[in-house]
Short mmCIF file of all heavy atoms in Angstrom, two decimals:
data_model
loop_
_atom_site.label_atom_id
_atom_site.label_comp_id
_atom_site.label_asym_id
_atom_site.label_seq_id
_atom_site.Cartn_x
_atom_site.Cartn_y
_atom_site.Cartn_z
N ARG E 1013 231.29 29.20 50.74
CA ARG E 1013 230.63 30.50 50.82
C ARG E 1013 229.62 30.64 49.69
O ARG E 1013 229.96 30.42 48.52
CB ARG E 1013 231.64 31.64 50.75
CG ARG E 1013 230.99 33.01 50.52
CD ARG E 1013 231.96 34.16 50.65
NE ARG E 1013 232.37 34.34 52.05
CZ ARG E 1013 233.17 35.31 52.46
NH1 ARG E 1013 233.68 36.17 51.59
NH2 ARG E 1013 233.47 35.42 53.73
N ALA E 1014 228.39 31.01 50.03
CA ALA E 1014 227.39 31.42 49.06
C ALA E 1014 227.28 32.94 49.17
O ALA E 1014 227.10 33.48 50.26
CB ALA E 1014 226.05 30.76 49.35
N GLN E 1015 227.37 33.61 48.03
CA GLN E 1015 227.41 35.07 48.02
C GLN E 1015 226.37 35.61 47.05
O GLN E 1015 226.26 35.15 45.92
CB GLN E 1015 228.80 35.54 47.61
CG GLN E 1015 229.01 37.04 47.61
CD GLN E 1015 230.42 37.39 47.15
OE1 GLN E 1015 230.72 37.32 45.96
NE2 GLN E 1015 231.29 37.74 48.10
N LEU E 1016 225.63 36.59 47.52
CA LEU E 1016 224.63 37.26 46.69
C LEU E 1016 224.92 38.75 46.70
O LEU E 1016 225.13 39.35 47.76
CB LEU E 1016 223.23 36.99 47.24
CG LEU E 1016 222.04 37.31 46.32
CD1 LEU E 1016 222.05 36.40 45.10
CD2 LEU E 1016 220.73 37.16 47.09
N LYS E 1017 224.97 39.37 45.50
CA LYS E 1017 225.23 40.80 45.37
C LYS E 1017 224.11 41.43 44.57
O LYS E 1017 223.63 40.87 43.59
CB LYS E 1017 226.56 41.05 44.67
CG LYS E 1017 227.76 40.51 45.43
CD LYS E 1017 229.07 40.90 44.76
CE LYS E 1017 230.27 40.46 45.58
NZ LYS E 1017 231.54 40.95 45.01
N TYR E 1018 223.72 42.65 44.98
CA TYR E 1018 222.58 43.29 44.33
C TYR E 1018 222.76 44.80 44.39
O TYR E 1018 223.38 45.35 45.30
CB TYR E 1018 221.27 42.89 45.03
CG TYR E 1018 221.44 42.56 46.49
CD1 TYR E 1018 221.28 43.53 47.48
CD2 TYR E 1018 221.82 41.27 46.88
CE1 TYR E 1018 221.47 43.23 48.83
CE2 TYR E 1018 222.01 40.96 48.23
CZ TYR E 1018 221.84 41.94 49.19
OH TYR E 1018 222.04 41.65 50.52
N ILE E 1019 222.22 45.48 43.37
CA ILE E 1019 222.34 46.93 43.29
C ILE E 1019 221.05 47.51 42.73
O ILE E 1019 220.46 46.95 41.80
CB ILE E 1019 223.54 47.33 42.42
CG1 ILE E 1019 223.66 48.85 42.30
CG2 ILE E 1019 223.46 46.72 41.04
CD1 ILE E 1019 224.95 49.30 41.64
N VAL E 1020 220.62 48.63 43.32
CA VAL E 1020 219.38 49.28 42.90
C VAL E 1020 219.65 50.77 42.70
O VAL E 1020 219.89 51.49 43.68
CB VAL E 1020 218.26 49.10 43.94
CG1 VAL E 1020 216.96 49.72 43.41
CG2 VAL E 1020 218.07 47.63 44.28
N PRO E 1021 219.63 51.27 41.46
CA PRO E 1021 219.72 52.72 41.26
C PRO E 1021 218.48 53.39 41.84
O PRO E 1021 217.36 52.99 41.55
CB PRO E 1021 219.77 52.87 39.73
CG PRO E 1021 220.08 51.50 39.20
CD PRO E 1021 219.53 50.54 40.19
N ILE E 1022 218.67 54.41 42.67
CA ILE E 1022 217.54 55.06 43.33
C ILE E 1022 217.13 56.34 42.61
O ILE E 1022 215.96 56.53 42.26
CB ILE E 1022 217.85 55.35 44.81
CG1 ILE E 1022 218.10 54.04 45.55
CG2 ILE E 1022 216.72 56.13 45.46
CD1 ILE E 1022 218.55 54.22 46.99
N SER E 1023 218.11 57.25 42.37
CA SER E 1023 217.73 58.53 41.78
C SER E 1023 218.95 59.22 41.17
O SER E 1023 220.09 59.00 41.59
CB SER E 1023 217.10 59.43 42.84
OG SER E 1023 216.63 60.63 42.28
N GLN E 1024 218.67 60.06 40.17
CA GLN E 1024 219.64 61.00 39.62
C GLN E 1024 219.17 62.41 39.98
O GLN E 1024 217.98 62.69 39.95
CB GLN E 1024 219.72 60.86 38.10
CG GLN E 1024 220.23 59.51 37.61
CD GLN E 1024 221.74 59.41 37.66
OE1 GLN E 1024 222.43 60.42 37.73
NE2 GLN E 1024 222.26 58.19 37.62
N PHE E 1025 220.11 63.30 40.31
CA PHE E 1025 219.76 64.63 40.76
C PHE E 1025 220.26 65.70 39.78
O PHE E 1025 221.20 65.46 39.02
CB PHE E 1025 220.34 64.88 42.15
CG PHE E 1025 219.87 63.90 43.18
CD1 PHE E 1025 220.65 62.82 43.55
CD2 PHE E 1025 218.62 64.05 43.78
CE1 PHE E 1025 220.21 61.90 44.49
CE2 PHE E 1025 218.16 63.14 44.72
CZ PHE E 1025 218.97 62.07 45.08
N GLY E 1026 219.61 66.86 39.83
CA GLY E 1026 219.97 67.93 38.92
C GLY E 1026 221.38 68.47 39.13
O GLY E 1026 221.95 69.08 38.22
N ASN E 1027 221.97 68.23 40.29
CA ASN E 1027 223.34 68.69 40.54
C ASN E 1027 224.40 67.73 40.01
O ASN E 1027 225.59 67.90 40.26
CB ASN E 1027 223.56 68.92 42.04
CG ASN E 1027 223.38 67.64 42.86
OD1 ASN E 1027 223.08 66.57 42.32
ND2 ASN E 1027 223.54 67.76 44.17
N GLY E 1028 223.95 66.69 39.28
CA GLY E 1028 224.88 65.73 38.71
C GLY E 1028 225.16 64.53 39.58
O GLY E 1028 225.88 63.61 39.16
N ALA E 1029 224.60 64.48 40.77
CA ALA E 1029 224.84 63.37 41.69
C ALA E 1029 223.84 62.24 41.44
O ALA E 1029 222.78 62.44 40.84
CB ALA E 1029 224.75 63.84 43.13
N SER E 1030 224.18 61.07 41.92
CA SER E 1030 223.29 59.91 41.86
C SER E 1030 223.26 59.25 43.23
O SER E 1030 224.23 59.32 44.00
CB SER E 1030 223.76 58.91 40.82
OG SER E 1030 225.05 58.39 41.15
N LEU E 1031 222.14 58.59 43.54
CA LEU E 1031 221.99 57.85 44.78
C LEU E 1031 221.71 56.40 44.43
O LEU E 1031 220.79 56.11 43.65
CB LEU E 1031 220.85 58.43 45.63
CG LEU E 1031 220.61 57.75 46.99
CD1 LEU E 1031 221.81 57.94 47.91
CD2 LEU E 1031 219.34 58.31 47.64
N THR E 1032 222.50 55.50 45.00
CA THR E 1032 222.42 54.09 44.67
C THR E 1032 222.45 53.25 45.94
O THR E 1032 223.21 53.55 46.88
CB THR E 1032 223.59 53.67 43.76
OG1 THR E 1032 223.65 54.52 42.63
CG2 THR E 1032 223.44 52.23 43.30
N TYR E 1033 221.61 52.22 45.97
CA TYR E 1033 221.69 51.22 47.04
C TYR E 1033 222.50 50.03 46.54
O TYR E 1033 222.25 49.50 45.45
CB TYR E 1033 220.30 50.74 47.45
CG TYR E 1033 220.36 49.50 48.33
CD1 TYR E 1033 220.70 49.60 49.67
CD2 TYR E 1033 220.08 48.24 47.80
CE1 TYR E 1033 220.77 48.47 50.47
CE2 TYR E 1033 220.14 47.10 48.59
CZ TYR E 1033 220.50 47.22 49.92
OH TYR E 1033 220.57 46.10 50.71
N ILE E 1034 223.48 49.61 47.33
CA ILE E 1034 224.34 48.48 47.00
C ILE E 1034 224.30 47.52 48.17
O ILE E 1034 224.41 47.93 49.33
CB ILE E 1034 225.79 48.93 46.75
CG1 ILE E 1034 225.85 49.93 45.60
CG2 ILE E 1034 226.69 47.73 46.44
CD1 ILE E 1034 227.12 50.74 45.57
N GLY E 1035 224.12 46.25 47.91
CA GLY E 1035 224.09 45.28 49.00
C GLY E 1035 224.74 43.97 48.62
O GLY E 1035 224.82 43.62 47.44
N PHE E 1036 225.26 43.28 49.61
CA PHE E 1036 225.72 41.92 49.38
C PHE E 1036 225.66 41.14 50.68
O PHE E 1036 225.82 41.68 51.77
CB PHE E 1036 227.13 41.88 48.78
CG PHE E 1036 228.21 42.50 49.60
CD1 PHE E 1036 228.99 41.74 50.45
CD2 PHE E 1036 228.47 43.86 49.50
CE1 PHE E 1036 230.00 42.32 51.20
CE2 PHE E 1036 229.48 44.45 50.24
CZ PHE E 1036 230.26 43.67 51.10
N THR E 1037 225.40 39.85 50.55
CA THR E 1037 225.30 38.95 51.69
C THR E 1037 226.24 37.78 51.47
O THR E 1037 226.22 37.14 50.41
CB THR E 1037 223.86 38.44 51.88
OG1 THR E 1037 223.00 39.56 52.15
CG2 THR E 1037 223.78 37.46 53.03
N ASN E 1038 227.07 37.50 52.47
CA ASN E 1038 227.95 36.34 52.45
C ASN E 1038 227.46 35.34 53.49
O ASN E 1038 227.32 35.69 54.68
CB ASN E 1038 229.39 36.73 52.80
CG ASN E 1038 230.03 37.58 51.72
OD1 ASN E 1038 229.71 37.44 50.54
ND2 ASN E 1038 230.96 38.44 52.11
#
Side-chain angles (χ1 to χ4, degrees):
R1013 167 171 290 183
Q1015 182 181 76
L1016 195 65
K1017 297 186 176 185
Y1018 29 92
I1019 179 171
V1020 183
I1022 298 175
S1023 184
Q1024 296 279 342
F1025 301 99
N1027 61 0
S1030 63
L1031 181 65
T1032 306
Y1033 168 77
I1034 301 162
F1036 60 95
T1037 298
N1038 292 330

